[in-house]
Amino acid sequence: MVKKSLIAFVLFYLLGVFGVAGGYLSSRWDGDWSFGVQLLDAVKMGATWPLLVIELIVGA
């Protein structure tokens, strides 16, 4: 049971990482910047998505 819950949590987290990173990358795309810099910023934003959700819920 714990193993299935952990797998579900990790999958949900990774889905959020890719979803937020993709959304951030598409909204911040600028032709003047290199793709590597944009991708790095998008992955950083995607990895911190749980904090963004908590801030949204708390309203801070």
Side-chain angles (χ1 to χ4, degrees), residues 22-49:
Y24 182 80
L25 185 61
S26 67
S27 70
R28 297 288 184 171
W29 180 253
D30 187 8
D32 295 339
W33 290 46
S34 69
F35 183 71
V37 172
Q38 292 286 340
L39 187 61
L40 182 63
D41 286 344
V43 169
K44 285 180 184 176
M45 181 65 72
T48 60
W49 74 266

Side-chain angles (χ1 to χ4, degrees), residues 3 7-8 16 20 23 27 32-33 38-39 48 53 55-57:
K3 185 177 178 180
I7 290 172
V20 170
S27 70
D32 295 339
W33 290 46
Q38 292 286 340
L39 187 61
T48 60
V53 170
E55 287 179 359
L56 182 67
I57 291 172

Side-chain angles (χ1 to χ4, degrees), residues 6-25:
L6 184 61
I7 290 172
F9 176 76
V10 169
L11 288 176
F12 180 69
Y13 177 75
L14 290 177
L15 180 66
V17 168
F18 289 119
V20 170
Y24 182 80
L25 185 61

